[in-house]
Amino acid sequence: TDITAFDNDAYAALDRTRGRIFIYDDQGRMLFAFGGRGNIDGYFKGPTAIDHMGRDILVLDSVDASITVFTPTTFGTLVYDAIEQFKNGFYEESGETWKEVMNLNGNYDLAYIGIGRSLLRQKEYKEAMEYFELKWDDDNYSRAFKQYRKIWVEENIFWIVVALFLVMCVPLGVGRIRRIKWE
């Protein structure tokens, strides 16, 4: 029915059919979903519009002629803080905030992905790969693996060249020695 965008590039969408509110991050990953149809607090009879003031979400219900205000919980505030810290380039702080989110809810997939993304930006590729692997985030895992592989090859190029040289030259040398012995 309606949509509103926050300053941190997250956005909230209002579903009129089910009366639910869905909040997504800047990459289109769902952060939260809440609300519904009904007569209890936090539910709506006929939601028609959504807006925000700061981090508070306001929903207009045309049937009840009311406005409902949703204020983020501690969990929600931490998620918003982590997103804003990452957006502003504070990757280490973002990772720490995502760890606090993970302490509140160990099943929240985006906390693992957020920690991985912050490690990726800090050039901690191997650790980032571990977090992405836990939540099957193939795209970010591939990015981290590509960078990790590049660094590994740069650090071990001497040994790679030596190994290739031995693999190519040893059989030739063995063949010559056999031919000389045969002759």
Side-chain angles (χ1 to χ4, degrees), residues 16-17 19 36-40 43-47 61-64 66:
R16 182 187 333 204
T17 306
R37 286 200 164 269
N39 293 327
I40 60 175
Y43 282 59
F44 315 101
K45 290 181 182 176
D61 190 332
S62 61
V63 174
D64 282 345
S66 65

Side-chain angles (χ1 to χ4, degrees), residues 21 43 62 70 104 156:
I21 300 165
Y43 282 59
S62 61
F70 293 95
L104 292 175
N156 296 298

